[in-house]
Amino acid sequence: MIDITSVGGASDGSEPVTDLIQEHAADDTVIEFPAGTYAVDHLSLTNLHNVGLRAVDGADVSIVPTAPARELGTTLLRLVDLKRFLFEGIDLDYRKQGYGGMVYVLGTDDFEFRNVTVRGQYPPDVSGFRFEVVDPESSAIVENVRLTGGSIDGSDSVGIYVGHTHAGTLTFRDCVVENFPNNGIYASSPGRIDGLSGSNGPVHVLGGRYKNNNIANVRLGSTGSSVQHATVIVDEVPPRHDNGLDPRGIRMRARQGQLVQNCDVRISGRVPSSSGGIVLHSEAGQATIRNTTVTVDTDGVPAIHALKPADSQRGPIVENVAVGGQASTEHAIDIRHRNGTRIRQSRIEQSGADRSGVRFEQSDDCVVADTTFDVTGEPITMIESTVVRRNVSMKRPDGSNQ
């Protein structure tokens, strides 16, 4: 254990501690930071085992960059090829305009990254964090990381990015990510199946709040990934990306076998448009959505949207899902070219004008069972589709039961 101030580190931010950290970081060593502010320029640690950077218990500790990002570059901390790494209790102070940098952690074994708050807004095109676990047998946890300042219109900034070499298991627990133009948690790259094919390591998002991030608040793509007990909110127009404005709630971007469970997803009327609360991209296969509430008050926006797949991907399994809100027009659930869709033990209520329940288009072998519809449009619409109904309660648009 090394106290950074005992080896000459300035706790008032007056002198950078970068060289001291690099000098004393070694295998089987934890560097502790007493209360204070520590100045850092570009810090790089690599090829270390059982190493840590942590605040003294209960201490208020912050890192501040020594210069703006245009001078230091977009990465402030580069922590790569580390085995059994710990980073805990050290906040990042980016409140000075133009100051801020990404923290990049690549573990070749287990690592823990906990209790970090980012203060301030990221400069344009500077992302928050990048995490990867490259060993398929290893796992990592990122817990209580909070980024609420986001970035500005036209920026390419991502809140938290998971790189395509991620092959282990990565868990985000009780994190908060808000106001980024290019996804809140962008974790679909490990599931890529194109020229930059990913290593398909699962990513699990447990709890936390993801709010007003453009493109997607939570974006998954690896087989077996999940979002559970999370709150996802779009109630303001997020910062725009050059690719446009489409703030989805949860987005499955690739592969199959993902799970959305015990989540609360909300899309409000203040947002002009969105592809949906929970969206299956054309390259995503079957996913399960269970014990979840999706509230949509924005007209024309679906609560669940399964896009036409690039090949023969199957439809979602929707179980014990409550769809509510005042959205009008279009459909609460939109299923396109997705055979095998299952909607069970759910309730679809949409009070806006001309709002239908579920629309199936060219989707066969589908089932709607033990489900109640209370909508102003048609409860179930079938276009070149086959749908079996079992114990389904539906109100007609005139309010009478069907």
Side-chain angles (χ1 to χ4, degrees):
M1 195 87 66
I2 295 175
D3 182 329
I4 191 69
T5 61
S6 71
V7 293
S11 63
D12 60 358
S14 59
E15 295 290 338
V17 296
T18 312
D19 291 344
L20 288 171
I21 295 172
Q22 292 179 159
E23 177 185 350
H24 292 282
D27 290 350
D28 303 313
T29 301
V30 174
I31 299 176
E32 286 200 328
F33 294 76
T37 298
Y38 297 86
V40 170
D41 43 37
H42 179 71
L43 172 65
S44 180
L45 301 179
T46 187
N47 293 317
L48 295 173
H49 176 265
N50 199 27
V51 63
L53 305 174
R54 66 181 297 271
V56 171
D57 289 345
D60 185 359
V61 176
S62 294
I63 282 177
V64 62
T66 58
R70 67 176 182 271
E71 297 179 24
L72 296 181
T74 58
T75 301
L76 183 66
L77 307 182
R78 184 177 181 272
L79 313 167
V80 302
D81 295 332
L82 303 179
K83 296 183 177 182
R84 300 193 179 278
F85 173 68
L86 170 68
F87 190 100
E88 184 173 26
I90 302 173
D91 296 337
L92 303 173
D93 188 344
Y94 298 159
R95 288 176 291 183
K96 194 170 182 178
Q97 187 173 4
Y99 282 59
M102 184 176 69
V103 176
Y104 178 22
V105 181
L106 185 149
T108 55
D109 203 329
D110 302 347
F111 68 78
E112 300 177 18
F113 196 97
R114 303 179 186 272
N115 304 327
V116 175
T117 296
V118 180
R119 300 187 180 97
Q121 185 179 68
Y122 280 87
D125 304 326
V126 176
S127 294
F129 296 88
R130 176 171 175 167
F131 297 103
E132 293 166 76
V133 186
V134 297
D135 177 8
E137 302 302 317
S138 296
S139 62
I141 184 163
V142 177
E143 183 173 27
N144 193 30
V145 171
R146 304 174 65 87
L147 309 83
T148 59
S151 191
I152 64 171
D153 270 349
S155 171
D156 194 39
S157 300
V158 178
I160 297 175
Y161 179 70
V162 180
H164 75 280
T165 63
H166 169 62
T169 300
L170 180 58
T171 299
F172 295 98
R173 178 179 291 141
D174 297 332
C175 295
V176 177
V177 184
E178 301 180 1
N179 303 309
F180 282 88
N182 188 12
N183 294 271
I185 288 188
Y186 189 151
S188 64
S189 293
R192 292 181 68 149
I193 52 176
D194 56 13
L196 292 175
S197 182
S199 299
N200 202 29
V203 176
H204 301 294
V205 178
L206 304 181
R209 184 177 74 247
Y210 304 90
K211 184 176 180 181
N212 295 333
N213 298 290
N214 189 27
I215 311 299
N217 280 271
V218 177
R219 171 171 170 163
L220 302 178
S222 307
T223 305
S225 295
S226 68
V227 189
Q228 300 185 63
H229 301 282
T231 299
V232 178
I233 302 171
V234 180
D235 64 359
E236 298 286 351
V237 177
R240 297 172 185 266
H241 188 267
D242 286 346
N243 288 341
L245 179 68
D246 190 358
R248 305 164 182 91
I250 299 170
R251 186 186 190 198
M252 265 62 78
R253 182 59 177 79
R255 307 275 183 162
Q256 62 183 359
Q258 293 97 3
L259 171 66
V260 177
Q261 183 167 265
N262 296 313
C263 291
D264 182 8
V265 180
R266 307 173 217 161
I267 311 288
S268 86
R270 298 182 184 179
V271 180
S273 64
S274 168
S275 293
I278 300 173
V279 180
L280 275 67
H281 186 268
S282 60
E283 295 178 5
Q286 189 176 74
T288 298
I289 306 164
R290 179 185 296 138
N291 302 339
T292 288
T293 299
V294 186
T295 304
V296 180
D297 294 317
T298 303
D299 295 345
V301 173
I304 298 172
H305 191 182
L307 278 68
K308 178 181 177 181
D311 49 33
S312 58
Q313 306 282 23
R314 293 180 67 79
I317 298 171
V318 179
E319 296 179 334
N320 194 28
V321 169
V323 174
Q326 301 175 359
S328 65
T329 69
E330 299 298 333
H331 327 284
I333 299 178
D334 197 349
I335 306 296
R336 303 191 180 199
H337 298 251
R338 297 275 183 164
N339 297 339
T341 297
R342 300 288 186 265
I343 301 174
R344 298 188 286 251
Q345 298 175 326
S346 296
R347 184 169 183 83
I348 316 300
E349 296 182 350
Q350 295 271 257
S351 61
D354 300 318
R355 183 73 162 179
S356 67
V358 183
R359 177 184 186 270
F360 295 93
E361 178 182 336
Q362 295 190 31
S363 301
D364 292 325
D365 185 33
C366 298
V367 174
V368 179
D370 303 312
T371 292
T372 299
F373 291 86
D374 186 356
V375 294
T376 57
E378 290 297 326
I380 298 177
T381 301
M382 294 177 289
I383 301 172
E384 299 181 41
S385 301
T386 58
V387 180
V388 174
R389 308 179 190 181
R390 302 191 188 101
N391 191 28
V392 175
S393 173
M394 299 185 288
K395 283 189 177 179
R396 291 190 178 93
D398 61 7
S400 61
N401 291 325
Q402 181 176 333

